[in-house]
Amino acid sequence: MSRISVRGFAVASATAVTTVGAVVGVASGSTPAVDDNNFEAAAADTTLLADIPAGQQAQVQTASLTQQADAQASAADAAAKKSAEETARLQAAKDAKSKKAAAEDKLEKEREAKEKEAERASRSSVRDASSFSAQGSYTVAEVQAMARQMIPADQYQCFSNIVNHESTWNYRATNASSGAYGLVQALPGSKMASAGADWQTNPATQIKWGLSYMDGRYGSPCGAWSFWQANNWY
């Protein structure tokens, strides 16, 4: 029978080494003590598979293989646990990112809703042209005061910019070459009759028509002013 070393089995577990030592003790007539810290050297130096009785060899091998299997299972469990933890970490990061995006989207929608509500409130608070008493004439300050009360606050400056360029707030301004008339220089001026029969003499009627025109064609006075800046007309 060939002499096969069992050093690998002895290293695998203390239990296997203890068994090997016991068997060696039986074979030699004594039971040597093996230092736990030097069991590998002891096993390598003194124990060969051929020296162990055949009946004990299977016991030694089984103990060693069992320890190896346990070690492999433990390593596999540790790897699986690490993988699960990493997967959980990535999922948590993904969930946090999704929650943040949802919160930001909610805030943006709330902001837009508030802006629209403010715009509706602003528009509902303006006065209609018919609420102003007719006068024989109006100063620039009086015409501007009418406009401030008829135009939403966030649109007034844009409306004013256009009127400044078109008529310098002269509600009787007439373009000799084109026939454009009034504060917003409607062309022809008679278009403003849709807002009131007194379009030629009542600045409130002209403001009403001008606001309707800007809203209808450009979405708002500020939309009209953006177009005017790019083209010098609207």
Side-chain angles (χ1 to χ4, degrees), residues 98-139:
S98 296
K99 289 180 179 179
K100 180 180 178 181
E104 291 176 346
D105 184 57
K106 181 180 179 181
L107 289 175
E108 179 63 19
K109 288 181 178 179
E110 290 177 349
R111 183 188 65 78
E112 292 177 353
K114 288 180 180 179
E115 288 181 351
K116 290 180 179 179
E117 182 60 30
E119 182 178 351
R120 285 194 294 269
S122 177
R123 289 183 179 277
S124 64
S125 66
V126 300
R127 293 178 62 181
D128 185 79
S130 61
S131 66
F132 296 96
S133 299
Q135 299 177 194
S137 64
Y138 302 84
T139 65

